[in-house]
């Protein structure tokens, strides 16, 4: 199957997460495109995206370098995102969701349910889940009607794995990853229910846990020796 642009970004992100691309490693378009079996254009775009995420540094002349990322930097960025998204969910619940926001979130919940209605997810399924997940988070932020939250999240998303769109997954254990994303989507359902029913504190708590669950993934034994160069965005799971 030919890799999409999202596949290329996710593949490179996961290679960093797994330590296959170590801190200080230099990346160039041609060898990377040959390794992934794609043209140079999606690789070039992926490099820029990962630079924005804080995982790569553009070199003065040509190419990029994998950044060394500390555990503290990752944890701090994720905790900040949890606080900001939790605040957004609480304010959205207290203001009351508009009919348009309710409808959009319901459709995304249904889309997520369809994606996860399989025994084991594929890479294509996870690409679709990523798109659904990002839109769900975007609508929660939008529904808060608080420009300061949006601005603060925009700044925070330049840190490694602090963005809801920074998806990574373990291809060698897709059944386990399926369970991980099922849990994450269950949290989507719960936060929607809380917001619709005006339960601001509950919505805030769920959304914060939804982000902070990532910390369990980062601190798991599987990833314990990779923390000089990585990160992702959830587990307990999100």
């Amino acid at each position: 199957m030919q890799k999409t642009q999202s596949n290329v970004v996710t593949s490179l992100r996961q290679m960093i997460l797994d330590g296959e691309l170590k801190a200080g490693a230099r990346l160039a378009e041609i060898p990377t495109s040959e390794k992934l079996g794609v043209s140079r254009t999606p690789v070039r775009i992926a490099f820029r995206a990962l630079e924005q995420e804080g995982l790569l540094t553009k070199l003065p002349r040509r190419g990029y370098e994998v950044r060394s990322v500390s555990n503290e930097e990752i944890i701090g960025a994720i905790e900040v995102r949890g606080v900001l998204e939790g605040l957004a969910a609480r304010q959205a619940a207290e203001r009351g969701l508009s009919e348009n926001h309710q409808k959009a979130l319901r459709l995304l919940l249904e889309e997520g349910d369809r994606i996860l209605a399989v025994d084991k997810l594929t890479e294509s399924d996870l690409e679709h889940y990523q798109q659904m997940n990002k839109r769900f988070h975007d609508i929660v932020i939008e529904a808060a009607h608080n420009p300061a939250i949006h601005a603060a999240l925009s700044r925070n998303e330049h840190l490694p794995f602090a963005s809801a769109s920074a998806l990574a997954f373990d291809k060698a254990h897709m059944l386990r990853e399926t369970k991980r994303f099922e849990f994450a989507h269950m949290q989507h359902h719960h936060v929607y229910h809380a917001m619709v029913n005006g339960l601001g504190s509950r919505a805030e708590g769920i959304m914060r846990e939804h982000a902070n669950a990532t910390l369990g993934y980062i601190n798991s034994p599987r990833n314990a020796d990779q923390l000089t160069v990585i990160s992702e965005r959830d587990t307990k799971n999100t």
Side-chain angles (χ1 to χ4, degrees):
M1 181 181 70
Q2 185 176 4
K3 286 183 179 292
T4 65
Q5 180 62 59
S6 180
N7 290 151
V8 174
V9 174
T10 301
S11 294
L12 288 172
R13 187 186 294 120
Q14 188 66 41
M15 290 164 73
I16 295 173
L17 175 65
D18 289 339
E20 184 177 347
L21 295 174
K22 299 184 181 300
R26 297 195 173 192
L27 303 179
E29 290 178 15
I30 293 177
T32 303
S33 63
E34 291 175 350
K35 182 180 181 67
L36 296 179
V38 297
S39 67
R40 294 174 61 180
T41 298
V43 170
R44 184 183 307 121
I45 297 172
F47 284 171
R48 291 172 183 166
L50 294 175
E51 179 189 14
Q52 289 295 307
E53 288 182 21
L55 289 175
L56 298 180
T57 300
K58 187 170 178 58
L59 297 173
R61 294 184 179 179
R62 300 184 66 180
Y64 289 80
E65 182 178 88
V66 179
R67 281 191 58 209
S68 176
V69 181
S70 70
N71 192 15
E72 290 75 17
E73 184 178 358
I74 297 166
I75 290 172
I78 292 171
E79 287 180 337
V80 168
R81 180 168 63 83
V83 170
L84 291 170
E85 291 192 338
L87 176 60
R90 177 169 65 81
Q91 292 187 342
E94 292 173 349
R95 288 179 62 94
L97 288 178
S98 69
E99 286 296 326
N100 286 339
H101 283 146
Q102 288 189 43
K103 180 179 179 181
L105 289 172
R106 284 197 304 270
L107 290 173
L108 290 168
L109 290 173
E110 293 169 3
E111 181 181 350
D113 291 342
R114 288 193 297 271
I115 293 169
L116 292 163
V118 295
D119 293 329
K120 185 168 69 173
L121 294 168
T122 65
E123 288 187 49
S124 178
D125 292 331
L126 284 172
E127 180 183 350
H128 293 150
Y129 181 90
Q130 177 188 31
Q131 294 166 356
M132 179 280 301
N133 181 66
K134 183 180 186 306
R135 182 59 183 147
F136 186 94
H137 283 251
D138 286 347
I139 292 175
V140 172
I141 304 305
E142 183 181 300
H145 296 283
N146 187 335
I149 294 177
H150 184 273
L153 279 168
S154 296
R155 290 192 295 271
N156 192 60
E157 286 181 355
H158 291 294
L159 298 174
F161 289 89
S163 169
S165 62
L167 177 69
F169 56 89
D170 184 359
K171 296 179 184 178
H173 299 90
M174 291 298 283
L175 183 59
R176 182 180 65 190
E177 296 292 71
T178 299
K179 299 299 181 184
R180 187 163 73 89
F181 287 104
E182 286 175 349
F183 185 92
H185 194 54
M186 179 179 68
Q187 290 179 317
H188 288 154
H189 278 278
H190 289 328
V191 77
Y192 170 77
H193 179 271
M195 289 190 298
V196 166
N197 288 281
L199 305 175
S201 294
R202 176 166 171 76
E204 180 175 20
I206 296 170
M207 207 63 176
R208 290 184 68 163
E209 172 59 25
H210 188 58
N212 289 338
T214 310
L215 302 180
Y217 183 72
I218 290 172
N219 291 315
S220 70
R222 172 179 171 267
N223 298 308
D225 61 348
Q226 308 293 349
L227 291 177
T228 56
V229 29
I230 62 199
S231 76
E232 203 247 61
R233 88 153 298 267
D234 30 278
T235 188
K236 191 177 184 182
N237 297 5
T238 184

